[in-house]
Amino acid sequence: PKLRFPGFDEPYKQCRIGDIYAERSQRGASDMELLSVTMNDGVMPRSEIESKDNSSEDKSNYKVVLTGDMVYNSMRMWQGANGISPCDGIVSPAYTVLMPKVPISNGYFAAFFKSPNLINEFRRNSQGMTSDTWNLKYPQIETIKVCIPALSEQKRVSDMLGTLERRIAKQAQLVDNLKKYKRGVFETVFSQKVRLIPRNKRKDWQKYKLSDFATRVTRKNGGQSDIPLTISAQYGLIDQRDFFSKTVASADMSGYYLLRSGEYAYNRSTSNDYPFGSIKRLELYPMGAVSTLYLCFRVKDDIVLSDLAKWYFESSQWHRGVNEICAEGARNHGLLNVPTDGFFNTVHTLPSDPEEQLAIASYLSLFQARLDSAQAVLEKLLRIRSGLMQRLFT
Protein backbone atom coordinates (compact mmCIF):
# COMPACT_ATOMS: atom_id res chain seq x y z
CA PRO A 1 0.00 0.00 0.00
CA LYS A 2 0.96 3.63 -0.37
CA LEU A 3 0.51 4.24 3.35
CA ARG A 4 1.77 2.15 6.29
CA PHE A 5 2.39 2.80 9.96
CA PRO A 6 6.03 3.26 11.03
CA GLY A 7 7.65 0.06 12.22
CA PHE A 8 5.69 -2.20 9.86
CA ASP A 9 7.86 -3.24 6.93
CA GLU A 10 7.10 -6.93 6.60
CA PRO A 11 5.98 -7.76 3.03
CA TYR A 12 2.27 -8.31 2.51
CA LYS A 13 1.21 -11.91 1.98
CA GLN A 14 -0.64 -12.86 -1.20
CA CYS A 15 -3.46 -15.35 -0.78
CA ARG A 16 -6.97 -16.13 -1.93
CA ILE A 17 -10.09 -15.06 -0.07
CA GLY A 18 -10.82 -18.79 0.22
CA ASP A 19 -7.64 -19.13 2.29
CA ILE A 20 -9.06 -16.64 4.79
CA TYR A 21 -12.77 -17.37 4.75
CA ALA A 22 -14.86 -20.53 4.42
CA GLU A 23 -18.57 -20.49 3.69
CA ARG A 24 -20.88 -21.06 6.63
CA SER A 25 -23.85 -23.10 5.43
CA GLN A 26 -25.55 -23.94 8.73
CA ARG A 27 -29.34 -23.60 8.68
CA GLY A 28 -32.34 -24.61 10.74
CA ALA A 29 -32.20 -21.99 13.53
CA SER A 30 -35.37 -20.06 12.82
CA ASP A 31 -35.66 -18.87 16.42
CA MET A 32 -32.51 -16.70 16.16
CA GLU A 33 -32.68 -12.94 15.54
CA LEU A 34 -33.17 -11.91 11.92
CA LEU A 35 -30.29 -9.85 10.53
CA SER A 36 -29.89 -7.77 7.40
CA VAL A 37 -27.00 -6.17 5.50
CA THR A 38 -27.19 -2.43 4.85
CA MET A 39 -25.02 -0.54 2.39
CA ASN A 40 -23.82 2.07 4.89
CA ASP A 41 -24.13 0.45 8.31
CA GLY A 42 -23.15 -3.14 7.58
CA VAL A 43 -24.93 -5.98 9.40
CA MET A 44 -27.78 -4.93 11.68
CA PRO A 45 -30.71 -6.60 13.44
CA ARG A 46 -33.71 -6.40 11.13
CA SER A 47 -35.75 -4.89 13.96
CA GLU A 48 -33.57 -1.77 13.93
CA ILE A 49 -34.19 -1.00 10.25
CA GLU A 50 -37.25 1.08 9.46
CA SER A 51 -38.47 -0.57 6.29
CA LYS A 52 -40.91 -3.21 5.15
CA ASP A 53 -40.18 -6.74 6.36
CA ASN A 54 -40.20 -8.97 3.28
CA SER A 55 -38.81 -12.03 5.04
CA SER A 56 -40.49 -15.39 4.72
CA GLU A 57 -42.64 -16.67 7.60
CA ASP A 58 -40.84 -20.01 7.34
CA LYS A 59 -37.22 -19.25 8.27
CA SER A 60 -36.03 -22.86 8.57
CA ASN A 61 -33.87 -22.40 5.44
CA TYR A 62 -32.30 -19.14 6.63
CA LYS A 63 -28.53 -19.14 7.16
CA VAL A 64 -26.94 -18.96 10.58
CA VAL A 65 -24.57 -16.07 11.30
CA LEU A 66 -22.19 -15.95 14.27
CA THR A 67 -20.50 -12.89 15.71
CA GLY A 68 -17.49 -11.96 13.57
CA ASP A 69 -18.79 -13.58 10.37
CA MET A 70 -18.56 -11.63 7.11
CA VAL A 71 -22.02 -11.40 5.55
CA TYR A 72 -22.77 -10.05 2.12
CA ASN A 73 -25.65 -9.62 -0.31
CA SER A 74 -24.72 -11.92 -3.18
CA MET A 75 -26.44 -9.66 -5.73
CA ARG A 76 -25.11 -6.39 -4.33
CA MET A 77 -21.54 -7.31 -3.36
CA TRP A 78 -20.27 -5.29 -6.33
CA GLN A 79 -21.82 -2.22 -4.64
CA GLY A 80 -20.25 -2.91 -1.25
CA ALA A 81 -23.25 -4.50 0.48
CA ASN A 82 -21.28 -6.40 3.10
CA GLY A 83 -20.27 -6.22 6.74
CA ILE A 84 -18.99 -8.01 9.82
CA SER A 85 -21.81 -9.23 12.05
CA PRO A 86 -21.75 -7.78 15.59
CA CYS A 87 -24.05 -10.52 16.88
CA ASP A 88 -25.46 -13.99 16.28
CA GLY A 89 -28.52 -14.37 14.08
CA ILE A 90 -29.91 -15.60 10.78
CA VAL A 91 -30.07 -14.10 7.29
CA SER A 92 -31.98 -14.75 4.11
CA PRO A 93 -30.67 -17.50 1.78
CA ALA A 94 -29.92 -14.66 -0.68
CA TYR A 95 -26.94 -13.72 1.51
CA THR A 96 -23.56 -15.43 1.67
CA VAL A 97 -22.01 -16.01 5.09
CA LEU A 98 -18.23 -16.30 5.48
CA MET A 99 -16.48 -17.52 8.62
CA PRO A 100 -12.77 -16.89 9.31
CA LYS A 101 -10.45 -19.86 8.82
CA VAL A 102 -7.41 -18.11 10.32
CA PRO A 103 -6.89 -15.42 13.00
CA ILE A 104 -7.78 -12.03 11.46
CA SER A 105 -8.79 -8.53 12.51
CA ASN A 106 -12.50 -8.15 11.81
CA GLY A 107 -12.17 -4.36 11.71
CA TYR A 108 -9.48 -4.59 9.05
CA PHE A 109 -11.51 -6.88 6.82
CA ALA A 110 -14.70 -4.83 7.33
CA ALA A 111 -12.82 -1.90 5.75
CA PHE A 112 -10.88 -4.02 3.26
CA PHE A 113 -14.07 -5.50 1.76
CA LYS A 114 -15.33 -1.98 1.05
CA SER A 115 -12.09 -0.70 -0.49
CA PRO A 116 -12.40 0.53 -4.12
CA ASN A 117 -9.96 -2.01 -5.57
CA LEU A 118 -11.62 -5.00 -3.93
CA ILE A 119 -15.11 -3.76 -4.84
CA ASN A 120 -13.89 -3.64 -8.43
CA GLU A 121 -12.74 -7.27 -8.13
CA PHE A 122 -16.15 -8.24 -6.78
CA ARG A 123 -17.72 -6.55 -9.79
CA ARG A 124 -15.42 -8.32 -12.26
CA ASN A 125 -16.10 -11.74 -10.71
CA SER A 126 -19.86 -11.37 -10.39
CA GLN A 127 -21.84 -13.54 -12.80
CA GLY A 128 -24.87 -12.42 -14.79
CA MET A 129 -25.85 -10.64 -17.97
CA THR A 130 -26.70 -7.25 -16.47
CA SER A 131 -26.06 -5.41 -13.22
CA ASP A 132 -29.58 -6.35 -12.09
CA THR A 133 -28.65 -10.03 -12.20
CA TRP A 134 -24.95 -9.93 -11.20
CA ASN A 135 -24.31 -12.50 -8.49
CA LEU A 136 -21.21 -13.36 -6.46
CA LYS A 137 -21.40 -16.71 -4.68
CA TYR A 138 -18.68 -18.36 -2.63
CA PRO A 139 -17.14 -20.38 -5.51
CA GLN A 140 -16.43 -17.08 -7.27
CA ILE A 141 -15.29 -15.00 -4.30
CA GLU A 142 -12.98 -17.65 -2.85
CA THR A 143 -10.70 -17.51 -5.91
CA ILE A 144 -10.09 -13.73 -5.73
CA LYS A 145 -6.45 -13.00 -4.87
CA VAL A 146 -5.64 -10.41 -2.21
CA CYS A 147 -2.56 -9.12 -0.41
CA ILE A 148 -2.85 -8.71 3.36
CA PRO A 149 -0.50 -7.64 6.17
CA ALA A 150 0.38 -9.53 9.32
CA LEU A 151 -2.26 -9.68 12.06
CA SER A 152 -0.50 -7.03 14.18
CA GLU A 153 -0.62 -4.54 11.31
CA GLN A 154 -4.24 -5.45 10.57
CA LYS A 155 -5.11 -4.55 14.16
CA ARG A 156 -3.25 -1.24 13.98
CA VAL A 157 -5.09 -0.23 10.80
CA SER A 158 -8.36 -1.42 12.33
CA ASP A 159 -7.84 0.69 15.46
CA MET A 160 -7.14 3.82 13.44
CA LEU A 161 -10.10 3.34 11.09
CA GLY A 162 -12.34 2.50 14.03
CA THR A 163 -11.44 5.78 15.71
CA LEU A 164 -12.17 7.66 12.50
CA GLU A 165 -15.49 5.84 12.01
CA ARG A 166 -16.60 6.75 15.51
CA ARG A 167 -15.66 10.39 14.87
CA ILE A 168 -17.64 10.37 11.63
CA ALA A 169 -20.63 8.78 13.35
CA LYS A 170 -20.61 11.48 16.05
CA GLN A 171 -20.40 14.24 13.45
CA ALA A 172 -23.17 12.68 11.36
CA GLN A 173 -25.34 12.51 14.48
CA LEU A 174 -24.62 16.17 15.20
CA VAL A 175 -25.63 17.14 11.66
CA ASP A 176 -28.80 15.05 11.90
CA ASN A 177 -29.72 16.59 15.26
CA LEU A 178 -29.12 20.11 13.94
CA LYS A 179 -31.35 19.40 10.93
CA LYS A 180 -34.14 18.19 13.20
CA TYR A 181 -33.66 21.16 15.51
CA LYS A 182 -33.67 23.49 12.52
CA ARG A 183 -37.07 22.22 11.43
CA GLY A 184 -38.40 22.83 14.93
CA VAL A 185 -36.89 26.31 15.14
CA PHE A 186 -38.25 27.36 11.75
CA GLU A 187 -41.75 26.11 12.56
CA THR A 188 -41.68 27.79 15.97
CA VAL A 189 -40.62 31.13 14.52
CA PHE A 190 -43.02 31.21 11.57
CA SER A 191 -45.97 30.00 13.64
CA GLN A 192 -45.26 32.94 16.04
CA LYS A 193 -44.77 30.68 19.05
CA VAL A 194 -41.51 32.54 19.58
CA ARG A 195 -41.03 36.23 18.77
CA LEU A 196 -37.55 37.69 18.33
CA ILE A 197 -38.22 41.31 19.28
CA PRO A 198 -39.21 42.85 22.63
CA ARG A 199 -42.88 42.56 23.60
CA ASN A 200 -43.41 46.32 23.57
CA LYS A 201 -42.30 46.53 19.93
CA ARG A 202 -44.35 43.66 18.55
CA LYS A 203 -46.85 44.27 15.80
CA ASP A 204 -49.45 41.90 14.43
CA TRP A 205 -48.41 39.78 11.49
CA GLN A 206 -50.31 40.29 8.23
CA LYS A 207 -51.75 37.98 5.63
CA TYR A 208 -50.26 38.52 2.17
CA LYS A 209 -50.98 36.91 -1.13
CA LEU A 210 -47.75 35.80 -2.74
CA SER A 211 -48.49 38.29 -5.53
CA ASP A 212 -48.46 41.08 -2.91
CA PHE A 213 -44.76 40.60 -2.21
CA ALA A 214 -43.51 38.70 -5.27
CA THR A 215 -43.46 39.27 -9.02
CA ARG A 216 -43.38 36.40 -11.49
CA VAL A 217 -40.22 36.03 -13.63
CA THR A 218 -40.73 34.71 -17.17
CA ARG A 219 -37.75 36.15 -19.05
CA LYS A 220 -36.29 33.66 -21.54
CA ASN A 221 -32.65 32.71 -21.45
CA GLY A 222 -31.85 33.41 -25.07
CA GLY A 223 -28.25 32.25 -24.59
CA GLN A 224 -27.25 34.62 -21.77
CA SER A 225 -26.43 31.69 -19.45
CA ASP A 226 -25.05 28.22 -20.11
CA ILE A 227 -25.61 27.06 -16.51
CA PRO A 228 -28.48 24.53 -16.29
CA LEU A 229 -29.88 24.78 -12.77
CA THR A 230 -31.54 22.16 -10.61
CA ILE A 231 -32.76 22.29 -7.01
CA SER A 232 -30.82 20.48 -4.29
CA ALA A 233 -32.07 20.18 -0.71
CA GLN A 234 -28.62 21.04 0.67
CA TYR A 235 -27.22 23.45 -1.92
CA GLY A 236 -30.35 25.12 -3.30
CA LEU A 237 -30.21 26.08 -6.97
CA ILE A 238 -27.05 24.44 -8.30
CA ASP A 239 -25.47 23.64 -11.66
CA GLN A 240 -26.74 20.25 -12.84
CA ARG A 241 -23.23 19.34 -13.94
CA ASP A 242 -21.98 19.72 -10.37
CA PHE A 243 -24.95 17.97 -8.80
CA PHE A 244 -25.54 15.06 -11.21
CA SER A 245 -22.05 14.98 -12.82
CA LYS A 246 -23.92 15.39 -16.10
CA THR A 247 -26.48 17.65 -17.78
CA VAL A 248 -30.09 16.53 -17.87
CA ALA A 249 -31.29 19.77 -19.43
CA SER A 250 -31.98 20.19 -23.14
CA ALA A 251 -28.98 20.99 -25.33
CA ASP A 252 -30.77 24.17 -26.41
CA MET A 253 -31.65 26.20 -23.31
CA SER A 254 -32.75 29.32 -25.14
CA GLY A 255 -36.35 28.56 -24.22
CA TYR A 256 -35.56 28.15 -20.52
CA TYR A 257 -36.24 30.86 -17.98
CA LEU A 258 -33.26 33.07 -17.14
CA LEU A 259 -32.94 33.41 -13.38
CA ARG A 260 -30.78 36.11 -11.86
CA SER A 261 -29.06 36.08 -8.48
CA GLY A 262 -31.56 36.68 -5.67
CA GLU A 263 -34.56 35.38 -7.63
CA TYR A 264 -36.53 32.28 -6.71
CA ALA A 265 -37.64 29.09 -8.43
CA TYR A 266 -40.39 26.70 -7.33
CA ASN A 267 -39.90 23.07 -8.30
CA ARG A 268 -43.27 21.33 -8.07
CA SER A 269 -41.70 17.86 -7.89
CA THR A 270 -42.34 16.16 -4.56
CA SER A 271 -39.95 14.16 -2.37
CA ASN A 272 -39.83 12.83 1.18
CA ASP A 273 -38.19 16.02 2.43
CA TYR A 274 -40.35 18.28 0.26
CA PRO A 275 -43.90 16.88 0.04
CA PHE A 276 -45.14 20.10 -1.58
CA GLY A 277 -42.10 20.78 -3.73
CA SER A 278 -39.28 23.17 -2.91
CA ILE A 279 -38.65 26.88 -3.32
CA LYS A 280 -35.03 28.05 -3.45
CA ARG A 281 -33.25 31.38 -4.06
CA LEU A 282 -30.40 31.58 -6.58
CA GLU A 283 -27.24 32.41 -4.66
CA LEU A 284 -24.32 30.47 -6.14
CA TYR A 285 -24.17 32.14 -9.59
CA PRO A 286 -24.93 35.56 -11.10
CA MET A 287 -27.50 33.88 -13.36
CA GLY A 288 -28.64 30.49 -14.59
CA ALA A 289 -31.27 28.75 -16.70
CA VAL A 290 -34.18 26.71 -15.32
CA SER A 291 -36.83 24.59 -17.00
CA THR A 292 -40.14 26.30 -17.73
CA LEU A 293 -41.71 23.65 -15.48
CA TYR A 294 -40.45 25.80 -12.60
CA LEU A 295 -42.41 28.81 -11.35
CA CYS A 296 -39.98 31.71 -10.94
CA PHE A 297 -40.36 34.99 -9.09
CA ARG A 298 -38.53 37.85 -7.40
CA VAL A 299 -39.43 39.20 -3.95
CA LYS A 300 -40.29 42.85 -3.34
CA ASP A 301 -37.83 43.81 -0.62
CA ASP A 302 -39.81 46.90 0.34
CA ILE A 303 -42.69 44.68 1.48
CA VAL A 304 -41.02 41.48 2.64
CA LEU A 305 -37.26 41.15 2.96
CA SER A 306 -35.92 38.60 0.52
CA ASP A 307 -33.69 37.24 3.30
CA LEU A 308 -36.82 36.57 5.36
CA ALA A 309 -38.67 34.98 2.42
CA LYS A 310 -35.73 32.65 1.83
CA TRP A 311 -36.07 31.16 5.31
CA TYR A 312 -39.87 31.23 5.25
CA PHE A 313 -39.83 28.93 2.22
CA GLU A 314 -37.57 26.57 4.20
CA SER A 315 -40.41 26.11 6.70
CA SER A 316 -43.66 24.23 6.12
CA GLN A 317 -45.88 27.23 6.81
CA TRP A 318 -46.44 27.86 3.09
CA HIS A 319 -47.53 24.27 2.41
CA ARG A 320 -51.16 24.83 3.43
CA GLY A 321 -51.80 27.28 0.62
CA VAL A 322 -50.35 24.94 -2.00
CA ASN A 323 -52.24 21.99 -0.55
CA GLU A 324 -55.52 23.85 -1.02
CA ILE A 325 -54.97 24.39 -4.74
CA CYS A 326 -53.44 21.02 -5.69
CA ALA A 327 -55.54 18.86 -7.97
CA GLU A 328 -56.92 15.83 -6.13
CA GLY A 329 -54.45 12.96 -6.21
CA ALA A 330 -51.75 15.02 -7.92
CA ARG A 331 -49.23 14.28 -5.19
CA ASN A 332 -49.30 10.60 -6.08
CA HIS A 333 -47.55 11.26 -9.39
CA GLY A 334 -44.46 13.08 -8.13
CA LEU A 335 -45.32 16.41 -9.79
CA LEU A 336 -47.86 18.66 -8.13
CA ASN A 337 -50.56 20.11 -10.36
CA VAL A 338 -50.21 23.64 -9.01
CA PRO A 339 -51.75 26.25 -11.34
CA THR A 340 -49.69 29.38 -11.78
CA ASP A 341 -52.48 31.81 -10.86
CA GLY A 342 -53.39 29.71 -7.86
CA PHE A 343 -49.79 29.66 -6.66
CA PHE A 344 -49.45 33.43 -6.75
CA ASN A 345 -52.79 33.76 -4.94
CA THR A 346 -51.72 31.55 -2.02
CA VAL A 347 -51.93 33.36 1.34
CA HIS A 348 -48.96 33.71 3.71
CA THR A 349 -48.86 35.13 7.24
CA LEU A 350 -45.67 37.15 7.74
CA PRO A 351 -44.38 40.02 9.88
CA SER A 352 -45.04 43.43 8.38
CA ASP A 353 -42.53 45.20 10.64
CA PRO A 354 -39.14 45.52 8.87
CA GLU A 355 -37.35 45.34 12.24
CA GLU A 356 -38.91 41.96 13.06
CA GLN A 357 -38.31 40.71 9.54
CA LEU A 358 -34.62 41.56 9.88
CA ALA A 359 -34.39 40.00 13.35
CA ILE A 360 -35.84 36.71 12.11
CA ALA A 361 -33.70 36.65 8.97
CA SER A 362 -30.52 37.37 10.96
CA TYR A 363 -31.24 34.73 13.61
CA LEU A 364 -32.09 31.99 11.12
CA SER A 365 -29.02 32.87 9.03
CA LEU A 366 -26.81 32.32 12.08
CA PHE A 367 -28.50 29.01 12.78
CA GLN A 368 -28.02 27.87 9.18
CA ALA A 369 -24.35 28.88 9.36
CA ARG A 370 -23.93 26.56 12.37
CA LEU A 371 -25.52 23.70 10.45
CA ASP A 372 -23.42 24.42 7.34
CA SER A 373 -20.26 24.41 9.46
CA ALA A 374 -21.12 21.01 10.97
CA GLN A 375 -21.94 19.66 7.51
CA ALA A 376 -18.61 20.91 6.14
CA VAL A 377 -16.73 19.12 8.94
CA LEU A 378 -18.60 15.90 8.14
CA GLU A 379 -17.77 16.17 4.45
CA LYS A 380 -14.11 16.77 5.27
CA LEU A 381 -14.03 13.69 7.51
CA LEU A 382 -15.60 11.62 4.74
CA ARG A 383 -12.95 12.85 2.29
CA ILE A 384 -10.23 11.90 4.80
CA ARG A 385 -11.70 8.42 5.09
CA SER A 386 -11.93 8.05 1.33
CA GLY A 387 -8.31 9.14 0.92
CA LEU A 388 -7.12 6.75 3.62
CA MET A 389 -9.02 3.85 2.05
CA GLN A 390 -7.31 4.55 -1.25
CA ARG A 391 -3.84 4.68 0.32
CA LEU A 392 -4.22 1.84 2.83
CA PHE A 393 -5.63 -0.74 0.44
CA THR A 394 -3.84 -0.10 -2.87
Side-chain angles (χ1 to χ4, degrees):
K2 297 176 181 177
L3 183 64
R4 297 182 76 175
F5 283 99
F8 292 99
D9 52 13
E10 182 180 343
Y12 273 37
K13 176 184 176 182
Q14 187 181 69
C15 58
R16 301 180 312 143
I17 288 179
D19 297 327
I20 306 165
Y21 283 109
E23 183 174 17
R24 188 185 296 280
S25 301
Q26 182 183 347
R27 302 170 192 257
S30 57
D31 58 334
M32 296 179 72
E33 183 168 26
L34 181 62
L35 307 176
S36 187
V37 178
T38 66
M39 201 72 72
N40 296 321
D41 299 316
V43 182
M44 296 178 63
R46 194 70 180 77
S47 58
E48 296 181 10
I49 302 174
E50 295 181 2
S51 61
K52 185 178 179 181
D53 186 354
N54 295 317
S55 63
S56 170
E57 289 188 18
D58 179 11
K59 296 181 173 59
S60 60
N61 196 41
Y62 276 42
K63 298 179 179 179
V64 171
V65 177
L66 299 184
T67 302
D69 284 351
M70 170 68 71
V71 187
Y72 69 86
N73 184 331
S74 304
M75 297 188 68
R76 290 287 178 263
M77 188 57 155
W78 59 276
Q79 293 177 316
N82 61 70
I84 300 291
S85 182
C87 56
D88 296 348
I90 54 174
V91 292
S92 161
Y95 293 120
T96 297
V97 183
L98 305 178
M99 56 181 179
K101 297 169 65 175
V102 295
I104 60 171
S105 165
N106 284 330
Y108 179 89
F109 277 86
F112 187 32
F113 269 49
K114 288 186 179 291
S115 62
N117 281 3
L118 199 49
I119 291 292
N120 188 51
E121 285 298 307
F122 296 153
R123 182 184 295 110
R124 290 200 314 111
N125 284 272
S126 294
Q127 297 183 336
M129 296 297 293
T130 67
S131 59
D132 290 333
T133 61
W134 285 348
N135 206 311
L136 187 69
K137 295 292 189 180
Y138 184 70
Q140 288 78 50
I141 197 173
E142 72 165 336
T143 63
I144 295 176
K145 293 179 180 180
V146 294
C147 290
I148 60 172
L151 181 58
S152 58
E153 188 169 358
Q154 291 179 30
K155 291 179 178 178
R156 186 69 182 274
V157 172
S158 174
D159 289 344
M160 185 270 292
L161 290 177
T163 299
L164 180 58
E165 288 296 340
R166 288 189 291 275
R167 177 68 183 88
I168 289 173
K170 290 289 187 182
Q171 191 67 24
Q173 186 64 57
L174 173 61
V175 169
D176 188 55
N177 288 343
L178 285 171
K179 286 180 178 178
K180 291 177 182 177
Y181 188 54
K182 172 187 169 180
R183 288 194 292 269
V185 168
F186 277 49
E187 298 311 314
T188 298
V189 168
F190 286 110
S191 62
Q192 302 180 64
K193 293 178 181 177
V194 167
R195 303 286 291 271
L196 299 179
I197 59 172
R199 186 179 297 275
N200 62 345
K201 291 186 176 182
R202 294 175 187 172
K203 298 179 182 178
D204 291 339
W205 287 27
Q206 293 187 13
K207 293 184 181 296
Y208 298 93
K209 288 184 178 180
L210 181 59
S211 58
D212 292 336
F213 66 90
T215 304
R216 189 181 179 197
V217 171
T218 58
R219 77 173 75 85
K220 291 299 178 70
N221 180 27
Q224 293 99 316
S225 175
D226 63 351
I227 299 177
L229 297 173
T230 191
I231 285 184
S232 153
Q234 181 178 345
Y235 302 107
L237 283 157
I238 188 170
D239 191 329
Q240 289 180 8
R241 294 165 294 190
D242 294 332
F243 189 65
F244 296 117
S245 298
K246 63 179 181 179
T247 301
V248 296
S250 301
D252 179 10
M253 296 191 296
S254 60
Y256 279 38
Y257 291 144
L258 178 67
L259 207 63
R260 299 191 186 280
S261 178
E263 295 176 341
Y264 292 77
Y266 173 34
N267 181 357
R268 289 171 280 188
S269 296
T270 64
S271 66
N272 290 334
D273 291 334
Y274 294 97
F276 291 92
S278 54
I279 299 174
K280 298 290 184 179
R281 185 171 71 175
L282 180 60
E283 298 182 331
L284 297 177
Y285 319 98
M287 63 181 69
V290 297
S291 165
T292 52
L293 292 174
Y294 288 22
L295 295 178
C296 303
F297 58 91
R298 72 173 68 89
V299 168
K300 303 173 185 176
D301 252 322
D302 57 331
I303 299 175
V304 173
L305 289 177
S306 182
D307 285 346
L308 174 72
K310 169 188 173 179
W311 301 126
Y312 171 69
F313 290 123
E314 286 291 309
S315 76
S316 65
Q317 293 299 309
W318 61 277
H319 292 175
R320 179 181 300 177
V322 171
N323 186 44
E324 291 173 353
I325 61 174
C326 282
E328 185 68 28
R331 270 165 284 165
N332 296 329
H333 303 288
L335 184 66
L336 297 176
N337 185 9
V338 178
T340 301
D341 289 345
F343 176 67
F344 283 94
N345 282 322
T346 53
V347 177
H348 308 271
T349 303
L350 293 166
S352 59
D353 178 17
E355 184 179 349
E356 186 169 10
Q357 290 183 21
L358 181 60
I360 292 173
S362 299
Y363 172 70
L364 297 183
S365 294
L366 288 172
F367 188 90
Q368 184 64 46
R370 176 69 183 91
L371 174 56
D372 290 344
S373 175
Q375 182 71 46
V377 171
L378 177 59
E379 291 174 359
K380 185 173 183 178
L381 287 168
L382 292 173
R383 288 194 299 271
I384 290 172
R385 181 178 67 182
S386 178
L388 284 172
M389 293 286 283
Q390 288 281 357
R391 295 169 65 83
L392 286 166
F393 299 111
T394 55

